[in-house]
Amino acid sequence: MGVERVQEIANFSKETIPEEFIRTTYEQPALTTVQGTVLEVPVIDLSDPDEEKVVRAIVDASSNWGMFQVVNHGIPHETVRKLKEVGKAFFELPPHEKEAYAKPPGSQSIEGYGTKLQREVEGKKAWVDHLFHKIWPPSEINYQFWPKNPPSYRKNNEEYAKHMHGVVDKLFRCLSLGLGLEGNEMKEAMGGDNLVYLLKINYYPQCPRPDLALGVPAHTDMSAITILVPNDVQGLQACKDDHWYDVEYIPNALIVHIGDQVEIVSNGKYKSVLHRAKVNKEKTRISWPVFVEPPSDLEVGPHPKLVNEANPPKFKSKKYSQYCFCKLNKTPE
C-alpha cells in the first residue's frame, strides 16, 4: 500500500501518538482553545417567508463570522441520515477494500481515498483520513472513486446531491442580494449551472492525545461556499477575533462556511472563515463537507459592479485551478 493510514495508526496508538502528529504549541487545542465557551454562530431558518430578514441574517453572518448554521433547509432528515450511514460504512471496510479507491500516485486531481492533502508545514500530519469525489454535475463525476460497497452508496449520494440544489441556490441568491446585486449574479460569477459539488468525507479516528493533535489544521476553504454535515461528535472550531472556539453541534442543521471565492467576488465584504477540527479520545468524528466550487478553468475576481475608484479591487482575478494549485502547494500567488 505504501501509505500509512491514520485509521491504522489509531488502532495501535493506545496512550501516545507518533511525533509527526503532535502540533506546535501555538496550534495544540488544549493550549489554544477558549475553554468553557461554545461559539454560538448564527442559526438561520431558511424557510422563513420574510426573505429580507433571511438576507440580512446571512449578510451579517457572512461579513462578521464567515460561518453560520441553517435549519429548515429543505433537505429531508432521512436523506442526510442515509448519506452518513453509507459514508461511515465505507470507512469501516477492511483496508484493502478502501485502498481500491485510493488517489492514484501523481494524480493532479484531488479525488479518491487518501490521507495527505496539502504540503505539510514543518512535517506535521493531520489526524484524519478522507475520501473525495464530485457529486455534481453528472459530466464531472468519476465513478471510479465512488465506493461500490455499501451497495446503496451511489443512490444515497445522488439523492443528497439532488436536494443540495435548492440550498445552494437560496444561499447564492441571498449573498447576491446582500451585495446589492441581482439575485442570480453571485451564482453566475461562480459558473452558474456549471458549479461543481465536491464531496469530502473526513474520518477522524479516536485519538489518545486529542490535546496535542488536530484533525485538520487551521485553514480557509478554497471553495465558493462549503455546506457541511457533521456527525454528533463535536470537533469543529472557528477563529473569531484571534481566538479559537468550539462551534456548537445542532442536530439536523447544515453548517455553511464562506469560502475564498465568495470573499474574492464580494471584494472582501464577506469573509472566508478560518477554522480547524479537533479530535476525540473516546469517539470517532466524521464530517461530510460539500465544497461548492467554480469550474476549474473559470477566472474568478471581484464582481465588476462592486469595484470603482472609491472601492478598488482587493484581489487579483485568477483561474480557479490556478488558485487551488497555489494554495495547496503554498506557493506565492
Side-chain angles (χ1 to χ4, degrees):
M1 288 191 284
V3 181
E4 204 170 10
R5 304 300 182 196
V6 175
Q7 215 174 340
E8 297 303 302
I9 294 168
N11 288 338
F12 297 106
S13 303
K14 297 304 172 209
E15 290 174 13
T16 59
I17 55 174
E19 178 71 28
E20 62 268 26
F21 290 97
I22 298 175
R23 310 307 297 196
T24 55
T25 51
Y26 62 85
E27 285 187 295
Q28 289 176 15
L31 299 177
T32 55
T33 300
V34 177
Q35 301 298 331
T37 307
V38 173
L39 203 59
E40 293 183 14
V41 303
V43 179
I44 299 169
D45 182 349
L46 282 192
S47 69
D48 191 321
D50 184 348
E51 185 175 63
E52 278 187 30
K53 181 180 165 193
V54 177
V55 169
R56 279 197 308 273
I58 286 178
V59 168
D60 179 63
S62 303
S63 309
N64 297 315
W65 299 75
M67 176 188 281
F68 50 96
Q69 304 204 44
V70 293
V71 294
N72 299 321
H73 42 69
I75 303 181
H77 298 331
E78 186 64 5
T79 301
V80 175
R81 187 191 66 75
K82 286 179 173 176
L83 174 85
K84 291 158 77 167
E85 182 179 78
V86 292
K88 180 172 181 280
F90 169 74
F91 277 93
E92 289 170 353
L93 293 173
H96 70 274
E97 284 197 53
K98 292 190 292 251
E99 293 298 337
Y101 302 95
K103 178 181 163 181
S107 169
Q108 294 306 300
S109 165
I110 208 168
E111 291 187 274
Y113 170 62
T115 296
K116 180 183 171 183
L117 178 56
Q118 57 188 8
R119 197 159 74 82
E120 287 156 349
V121 180
E122 300 170 359
K124 294 298 178 190
K125 292 184 176 176
W127 193 265
V128 64
D129 295 324
H130 62 248
L131 175 68
F132 272 106
H133 61 72
K134 292 173 184 171
I135 58 172
W136 189 264
S139 58
E140 288 277 332
I141 290 175
N142 187 342
Y143 285 113
Q144 84 176 78
F145 297 117
W146 288 48
K148 293 182 178 57
N149 197 7
S152 55
Y153 187 91
R154 177 168 169 171
K155 180 165 83 63
N156 291 2
N157 275 263
E158 287 175 340
E159 183 73 10
Y160 185 66
K162 187 178 81 181
H163 284 286
M164 285 287 294
H165 302 313
V167 181
V168 169
D169 288 350
K170 176 103 180 179
L171 292 173
F172 275 129
R173 176 175 167 79
C174 292
L175 289 166
S176 203
L177 293 172
L179 294 168
L181 301 172
E182 297 295 322
N184 63 333
E185 287 188 279
M186 174 66 92
K187 185 179 174 185
E188 288 307 312
M190 297 295 179
D193 291 338
N194 295 317
L195 276 165
V196 174
Y197 300 178
L198 174 67
L199 173 79
K200 182 187 186 192
I201 306 177
N202 289 305
Y203 188 91
Y204 309 100
Q206 292 166 260
C207 178
R209 295 300 306 269
D211 54 324
L212 302 178
L214 281 174
V216 176
H219 67 288
T220 60
D221 291 345
M222 298 182 287
S223 58
I225 53 177
T226 303
I227 299 172
L228 181 142
V229 168
N231 73 348
D232 59 358
V233 180
Q234 201 284 327
L236 180 63
Q237 294 194 315
C239 190
K240 181 98 166 75
D241 304 324
D242 297 325
H243 291 90
W244 286 103
Y245 297 89
D246 291 327
V247 175
E248 183 184 18
Y249 166 71
I250 299 175
N252 302 318
L254 302 173
I255 300 169
V256 180
H257 301 165
I258 297 299
D260 296 344
Q261 306 314 304
V262 159
E263 179 168 346
I264 291 166
V265 169
S266 74
N267 204 30
K269 175 163 183 183
Y270 299 140
K271 302 288 186 280
S272 184
V273 64
L274 186 66
H275 58 288
R276 68 184 186 185
K278 293 190 310 180
V279 290
N280 191 288
K281 192 168 186 174
E282 279 85 37
K283 296 175 180 171
T284 293
R285 180 169 184 265
I286 315 176
S287 67
W288 288 258
V290 170
F291 302 100
V292 180
E293 304 183 321
S296 61
D297 59 353
L298 186 76
E299 194 160 288
V300 180
H303 198 284
K305 290 187 178 178
L306 303 176
V307 175
N308 52 40
E309 275 187 35
N311 192 25
K314 296 177 178 160
F315 304 92
K316 284 192 288 195
S317 294
K318 187 175 286 188
K319 272 190 179 179
Y320 183 59
S321 56
Q322 186 192 358
Y323 182 90
C324 293
F325 180 86
C326 292
K327 186 155 176 173
L328 284 173
N329 292 285
K330 298 185 168 59
T331 59
E333 296 189 11

